[in-house]
């Protein structure tokens, strides 16, 4: 009671004294000085300003895996992250006979470590510089949308090219606040990444998609990679002679973990949030995009299930794809649910009404920002006119043959241009990864499933109104007169069966050979998927150009709208931080339970006993026998927590995180590793759009559970010994 009362007062004080709320916010490192006081007050024992030093401790130990976060936990380049972040690499190395997904994997020596999925990189951010002026150089109000798009694109690519003169680095220009600001990120890029350890899925993914996004949770969502470099210590492509990377900083692991109420923080790479979108965007997203996308995801999941048996070669090839599809199908489902029963939309409308009043109450403001929102919404509506078609074309990309053909042909097209003008993904800097992607195709491809995906999406496609159809696709599949009512699926299947029989794109050497051919070779090819890529290219490119033109037009309004919104928030003492955009952020808060529903309180910890209670022996609740025995015999070793009388498995925190934060180390007040963030609770998923302090909870693997499984179940003592473990 006392704790709750005092933290309430603290929250009120913080709100009153400055524009910052506790817990909410994904802060850029350069913003930390402005919240230094709050960090110290919340319990941080380090000097907050030390966190701004990217190459110092602890920031220098935090890395991005591209889509997930991770951290160095030894001086030999050992990297800790989530099981679901190494899952793709485990899948990649699995076969029906040697199913590492099912059995788990542990390298007992460096030699036994396996290459991660080709193209897997590890990025260490070393420099962040604001480049807004340089990116916006030459922009005028009068210019067309496509000219504005091109100017921003070329300015950004020029900055990236300069920055990447040193080829150990990968650089990127990222927009903040919808294009109000731009920053250049310089990241040391490690190209040889190896899989070290992943527990069995019955631990690392315990509870599977049933428990995913839920509390109470009992998932051992951890895994390890190792970073390798050349003998000279510099990033290098995979080679047997490469040596473990020695990071300047790595985290100490504190096996005491944390207690209810303790300060925790996460440094990581959150992917995307949408907290400053317009009411129009919100409504369209929640009433159209999410329901539709959820349905397509579920359909693709179903057809993969129907066309492959559990444990079969085909199923193993799609396990990683399945996990991704299911993860976001459920994520969207939660958001739709929260949206329908909550007041998000009406509050968004109210915000816009208040903002308009605030603008109109001052003639200068009105003159400067008065038309920003209406202008923006008008463009957004244009952009959404073809969204039914675009979503279908988007999910069609799950077909490897279609996507491979399109990308290979596009590469030939782009190669005709000077490097700087090429579409991103097809520049010189992208070729090595492109090649690795082409090599990786077969481990994630089954012709029958691929064909079913095409059939499913084209079935939706023929139901589109004529105006949204792409005539070259219609012609290729003889669908010009097809509608939902008269669609001849059988005929389509016959054509596709022939295509899959005749294509050579399922052969690695063929794909690699196509990387070096020119446009005329593609035009003369008799490979059916290449023929489709060539025939539809012009129209697909026109769709892309139109969308770029619109985004160029939107750039004339969105930054202005954000500027107005920020001024309004500042005036009303509301927190302002940029939406997540896959760049390095800090979020801090406490270990804390919550009330998911009226009459229910969730405690912040789960324990080993909860695993036994949930276990049915049937996946996804099929913990290893050995583990169940250890629990039943109370073999806690050194990892029990007195207050719980058992080993903590997962815990809840108040941190403001989203997808991409996965794998981030959870740090205590001294920046010691006490766990891994891996999920959020069901009620908080809409937080990506609409943050609610009461419902927002992050879910973490407790370090004690991780170490307990490693020591007692998997015998990963070599890794425990390698880490710096403190109490
Ligand atoms: N919900 C987790 C996240 O997005 C991913 C968990 C993956 N597990 C699964 N069952 N699909 O970070």
């Amino acid at each position: 009671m006392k704790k709750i009362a005092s933290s309430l007062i603290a929250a009120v004080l913080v709100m009153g004294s400055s524009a910052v709320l506790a817990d909410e916010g994904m802060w850029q490192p350069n913003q930390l000085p402005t919240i230094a006081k709050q960090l110290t007050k919340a319990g941080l024992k380090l000097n907050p300003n030390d966190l701004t030093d990217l190459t110092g401790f602890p920031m220098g130990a935090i890395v991005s895996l591209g889509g997930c976060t991770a951290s160095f936990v030894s001086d030999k380049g050992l990297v800790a992250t989530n099981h679901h972040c190494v899952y793709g690499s485990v899948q990649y190395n699995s076969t029906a006979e040697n199913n590492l997904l099912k059995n788990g994997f542990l390298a007992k020596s460096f030699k036994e470590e396996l290459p991660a999925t080709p193209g897997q990189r590890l990025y260490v951010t070393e420099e962040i510089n604001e480049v807004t002026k340089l990116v916006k150089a030459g922009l005028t109000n009068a210019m067309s949308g496509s000219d504005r798009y091109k100017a921003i694109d070329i300015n950004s690519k020029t900055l990236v090219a300069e920055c990447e003169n040193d080829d150990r680095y990968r650089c990127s220009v990222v927009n903040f606040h919808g294009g109000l600001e731009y920053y250049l990120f310089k990241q040391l890029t490690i190209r040889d990444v190896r899989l070290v350890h992943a527990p069995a899925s019955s631990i690392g993914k315990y509870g599977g998609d049933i428990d995913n996004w839920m509390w109470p949770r009992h998932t051992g969502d951890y895994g390890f990679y190792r970073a390798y470099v050349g003998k000279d210590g510099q990033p290098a492509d995979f080679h047997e002679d490469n040596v473990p990377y020695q990071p300047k900083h790595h985290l100490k692991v504190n096996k005491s973990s944390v207690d209810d109420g303790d300060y925790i923080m996460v440094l990581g790479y959150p992917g995307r949030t949408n907290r400053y979108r317009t009411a129009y965007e919100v409504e369209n997203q929640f009433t159209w995009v999410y329901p539709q996308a959820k349905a397509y995801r579920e359909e693709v999941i179903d057809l993969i299930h129907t066309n492959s048996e559990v444990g079969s070669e085909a199923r193993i090839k799609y396990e990683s794809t399945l996990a991704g599809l299911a993860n976001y199908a459920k994520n969207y489902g939660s958001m739709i649910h929260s949206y329908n029963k909550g007041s998000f939309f009406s509050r968004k409308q109210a915000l816009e009404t208040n903002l308009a009043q605030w603008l109109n109450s001052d003639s200068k403001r009105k003159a400067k920002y008065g038309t920003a929102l209406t202008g923006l919404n008008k463009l957004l509506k244009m952009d959404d006119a073809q969204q039914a078609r675009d979503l279908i074309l988007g999910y069609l990309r799950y077909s490897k043959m279609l996507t491979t053909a399109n990308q290979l042909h596009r590469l030939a097209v782009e190669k005709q241009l000077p490097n700087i003008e090429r579409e991103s993904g097809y520049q010189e800097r992208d070729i090595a990864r492109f090649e690795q992607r082409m090599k990786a195709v077969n481990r994630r491809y089954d012709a029958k499933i691929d064909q079913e995906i095409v059939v499913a999406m084209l079935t939706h496609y023929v139901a589109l109104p004529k105006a949204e159809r792409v005539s070259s696709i219609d012609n290729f599949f003889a669908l010009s007169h097809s509608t939902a009512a008269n669609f001849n699926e059988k005929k389509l299947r016959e054509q596709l069966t022939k295509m899959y029989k005749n294509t050579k794109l399922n052969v690695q050497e063929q794909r690699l050979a196509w990387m070096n051919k020119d446009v005329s070779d593609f035009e003369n090819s008799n490979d059916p998927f290449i023929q489709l890529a060539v025939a539809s290219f012009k129209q697909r490119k026109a769709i892309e150009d139109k969308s770029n033109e619109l985004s160029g037009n939107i750039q004339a309004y969105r930054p202005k709208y954000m500027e107005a919104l920020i001024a309004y928030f500042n005036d009303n003492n509301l927190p302002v931080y940029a939406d997540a955009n896959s760049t390095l952020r800090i979020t801090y808060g406490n270990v804390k339970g919550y009330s998911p529903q009226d009459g229910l309180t969730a405690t912040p910890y789960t324990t080993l006993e909860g695993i036994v209670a949930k276990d049915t022996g049937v996946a996804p609740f099929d913990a290893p026998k050995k583990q169940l025995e250890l629990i039943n015999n109370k073999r806690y070793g050194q990892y029990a927590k007195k207050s719980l009388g058992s080993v903590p498995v997962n815990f809840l925190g108040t941190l403001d995180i989203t997808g991409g934060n996965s794998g981030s180390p959870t740090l205590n007040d001294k920046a010691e590793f006490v766990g891994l963030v891996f999920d959020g609770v069901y009620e908080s998923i809409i937080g990506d759009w609409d943050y609610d302090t009461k419902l927002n909870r992050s879910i973490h693997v407790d370090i004690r559970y991780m170490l307990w499984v490693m020591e007692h179940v998997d015998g990963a003592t070599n890794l425990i010994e390698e880490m710096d473990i403190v109490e």
Side-chain angles (χ1 to χ4, degrees):
M1 193 63 204
K2 211 169 151 204
K3 191 167 245 157
I4 294 170
S6 62
S7 71
L8 259 180
I9 293 167
V12 171
L13 281 179
V14 170
M15 281 175 72
S17 63
S18 80
V20 178
L21 275 168
D23 308 323
E24 178 178 359
M26 301 173 173
W27 306 100
Q28 295 165 240
N30 68 347
Q31 286 182 304
L32 287 180
T34 68
I35 58 161
K37 269 201 199 115
Q38 286 94 315
L39 280 165
T40 305
K41 201 159 158 187
L44 177 67
K45 298 260 164 55
L46 306 177
N47 179 347
N49 293 319
D50 289 350
L51 295 178
T52 58
D53 180 3
L54 299 177
T55 52
F57 178 83
M59 278 301 188
I62 309 299
V63 302
S64 165
L65 296 174
C68 274
T69 306
S71 59
F72 289 121
V73 288
S74 91
D75 57 4
K76 295 188 196 69
L78 186 64
V79 169
T81 185
N82 286 147
H83 180 266
H84 77 263
C85 296
V86 302
Y87 197 71
S89 295
V90 181
Q91 181 271 322
Y92 192 83
N93 285 291
S94 288
T95 59
E97 295 77 50
N98 185 20
N99 190 343
L100 305 180
L101 289 168
K102 184 160 184 277
N103 307 330
F105 173 73
L106 171 65
K108 274 298 212 175
S109 66
F110 290 2
K111 265 214 187 101
E112 289 172 23
E113 295 171 359
L114 295 170
T117 320
Q120 177 67 59
R121 301 281 191 266
L122 201 142
Y123 306 95
V124 193
T125 303
E126 291 193 359
E127 263 181 56
I128 306 176
N129 289 305
E130 207 200 319
V131 290
T132 311
K133 281 216 183 79
L134 296 169
V135 173
K136 295 193 179 183
L139 299 193
T140 66
N141 286 335
M143 73 201 309
S144 73
S146 45
D147 285 347
R148 188 176 298 104
Y149 176 87
K150 270 185 208 139
I152 294 173
D153 190 50
I154 291 286
N155 288 344
S156 304
K157 281 176 179 154
T158 307
L159 286 165
V160 165
E162 279 166 23
C163 177
E164 288 181 357
N165 263 334
D166 182 342
D167 69 1
R168 296 170 305 162
Y169 290 89
R170 182 96 179 162
C171 302
S172 50
V173 169
V174 187
N175 93 49
F176 284 69
H177 292 305
L180 185 61
E181 296 168 0
Y182 290 85
Y183 286 82
L184 176 68
F185 288 75
K186 185 172 182 181
Q187 299 179 306
L188 184 76
T189 301
I190 291 180
R191 309 197 293 268
D192 184 351
V193 181
R194 302 188 195 172
L195 180 66
V196 176
H197 175 43
S201 288
S202 58
I203 290 176
K205 208 186 170 190
Y206 190 72
D209 290 314
I210 299 173
D211 272 8
N212 191 20
W213 301 114
M214 305 284 249
W215 185 261
R217 194 66 164 276
H218 300 84
T219 307
D221 202 342
Y222 64 87
F224 291 90
Y225 277 142
R226 190 183 304 281
Y228 278 80
V229 287
K231 280 196 170 134
D232 57 356
Q234 298 304 329
D237 291 329
F238 175 86
H239 194 283
E240 272 179 33
D241 295 342
N242 284 351
V243 295
Y245 174 63
Q246 299 183 338
K248 267 190 259 160
H249 301 282
H250 67 271
L251 301 172
K252 285 191 177 131
V253 173
N254 190 318
K255 68 176 178 192
S256 312
S257 75
V258 277
D259 284 304
D260 192 1
D262 280 355
Y263 174 91
I264 47 173
M265 63 181 170
V266 156
L267 318 180
Y269 289 83
R272 199 147 300 286
T273 54
N274 305 286
R275 295 197 181 139
Y276 306 101
R277 297 293 174 142
T278 74
Y280 167 74
E281 288 179 292
V282 165
E283 188 177 29
N284 181 57
Q285 190 72 24
F286 283 84
T287 62
W288 193 84
V289 180
Y290 284 146
Q292 198 57 57
K294 178 173 181 279
Y296 290 160
R297 281 175 179 267
E298 285 166 350
E299 186 177 357
V300 177
I301 291 170
D302 281 348
L303 71 83
I304 296 174
H305 282 162
T306 322
N307 288 285
S308 63
E309 250 163 71
V310 181
S312 67
E313 205 69 37
R315 177 65 69 84
I316 288 170
K317 286 181 170 171
Y318 280 85
E319 286 294 3
S320 190
T321 309
L322 277 173
L325 284 165
N327 190 33
Y328 279 94
K330 191 164 180 185
N331 174 295
Y332 298 169
S334 156
M335 288 205 280
I336 296 162
H337 179 81
S338 298
Y339 180 82
N340 288 337
K341 72 168 198 191
S343 59
F344 175 36
F345 182 59
S346 56
R347 279 182 288 109
K348 196 55 125 175
Q349 284 179 309
L351 168 70
E352 288 181 3
T353 308
N354 295 338
L355 176 69
Q357 269 171 13
W358 180 84
L359 288 178
N360 291 332
S361 68
D362 177 307
S363 58
K364 255 195 234 142
R365 278 184 214 147
K366 192 177 166 187
K368 196 164 173 202
Y369 305 119
T371 57
L373 180 58
T374 38
L376 177 57
N377 276 334
K378 203 172 129 202
L379 293 166
L380 292 168
K381 272 173 210 166
M382 285 167 66
D383 204 18
D384 294 340
Q386 310 275 327
Q387 63 185 357
R389 177 199 65 200
D390 294 343
L391 196 68
I392 292 169
L393 295 181
Y395 278 87
L396 207 45
R397 292 198 194 108
Y398 276 90
S399 157
K400 288 273 181 202
M401 286 302 105
L402 235 91
T403 300
T404 301
N406 286 344
Q407 289 178 346
L408 285 167
H409 172 245
R410 183 69 182 264
L411 181 62
V413 172
E414 295 295 331
K415 274 187 176 171
Q416 299 171 311
L417 297 170
N419 188 40
I420 196 84
E421 287 173 33
R422 293 190 204 163
E423 182 62 21
S424 43
Y426 300 92
Q427 292 184 283
E428 291 300 341
R429 66 197 283 271
D430 303 309
I431 298 301
R433 281 189 83 176
F434 189 103
E435 184 181 324
Q436 286 179 312
R437 261 208 321 277
M438 288 298 142
K439 284 185 180 161
V441 166
N442 292 74
R443 301 254 188 133
R444 302 226 169 120
Y445 167 74
D446 175 83
K448 188 162 154 223
I449 292 174
D450 206 76
Q451 174 167 342
E452 289 306 318
I453 294 171
V454 178
V455 172
M457 288 306 134
L458 287 182
T459 306
H460 295 299
Y461 171 83
V462 296
L464 288 171
K466 263 272 146 2
E468 291 188 41
R469 301 271 284 266
V470 182
S471 61
S472 51
I473 295 180
D474 281 343
N475 291 340
F476 188 89
F477 288 110
L479 295 171
S480 304
H481 302 287
S482 299
T483 61
N486 71 11
F487 175 49
N488 188 340
E489 188 186 309
K490 189 164 163 266
K491 214 177 103 221
L492 175 70
R493 280 180 185 282
E494 281 165 12
Q495 182 179 352
L496 283 169
T497 304
K498 263 194 223 136
M499 287 173 71
Y500 281 90
K501 201 170 139 242
N502 292 332
T503 186
K504 299 255 160 25
L505 291 181
N506 57 344
V507 180
Q508 174 173 317
E509 297 72 50
Q510 293 279 336
R511 291 191 296 271
L512 297 183
W514 278 110
M515 282 186 66
N516 297 312
K517 297 195 181 171
D518 54 37
V519 173
S520 64
D521 297 322
F522 281 86
E523 285 165 354
N524 295 323
S525 168
N526 54 15
D527 190 290
F529 282 96
I530 288 177
Q531 286 176 336
L532 172 59
V534 170
S536 62
F537 176 69
K538 248 202 198 137
Q539 284 185 305
R540 285 183 292 111
K541 179 75 167 56
I543 292 172
E544 186 183 303
D545 288 344
K546 206 170 147 209
S547 142
N548 290 345
E549 184 187 349
L550 258 167
S551 78
N553 280 323
I554 286 172
Q555 278 308 304
Y557 289 93
R558 176 94 71 187
K560 207 174 261 179
Y561 174 65
M562 280 308 303
E563 207 176 314
L565 204 55
I566 290 170
Y568 171 77
F569 282 160
N570 283 334
D571 223 33
N572 287 282
N573 271 334
L574 292 163
V576 181
Y577 49 85
D579 265 320
N581 54 8
S582 299
T583 63
L584 187 54
R585 304 295 179 94
I586 293 138
T587 168
Y588 67 99
N590 306 90
V591 177
K592 198 176 173 181
Y594 78 120
S595 172
Q597 288 171 40
D598 185 32
L600 279 184
T601 311
T603 60
Y605 282 94
T606 56
T607 58
L608 290 184
E609 281 63 29
I611 297 174
V612 179
K614 268 183 187 172
D615 212 81
T616 58
V618 179
F621 297 101
D622 55 344
K625 264 219 182 75
K626 183 174 174 192
Q627 184 183 30
L628 295 173
E629 269 168 35
L630 287 165
I631 301 172
N632 286 330
N633 296 326
K634 297 197 186 307
R635 293 276 301 280
Y636 304 144
Q638 50 171 324
Y639 300 111
K641 213 176 200 5
K642 248 203 191 133
S643 53
L644 299 170
S646 180
V647 178
V649 175
N650 293 156
F651 64 86
L652 292 172
T654 60
L655 305 188
D656 187 1
I657 55 136
T658 188
N661 272 122
S662 282
S664 305
T666 308
L667 305 177
N668 66 9
D669 52 9
K670 296 198 281 285
E672 292 164 341
F673 186 111
V674 291
L676 288 162
V677 71
F678 71 97
D679 211 0
V681 301
Y682 198 73
E683 299 75 18
S684 77
I685 300 172
I686 197 173
D688 280 0
W689 295 75
D690 181 33
Y691 184 93
D692 181 342
T693 308
K694 287 203 295 292
L695 293 178
N696 189 81
R697 290 298 177 274
S698 46
I699 310 180
H700 308 247
V701 190
D702 195 291
I703 183 63
R704 292 188 176 221
Y705 181 56
M706 208 171 130
L707 293 174
W708 180 79
V709 178
M710 287 172 72
E711 183 176 327
H712 295 274
V713 181
D714 285 332
T717 43
N718 53 321
L719 302 182
I720 297 183
E721 275 158 25
E722 186 182 332
M723 297 187 279
D724 274 346
I725 300 189
V726 298
E727 274 183 72

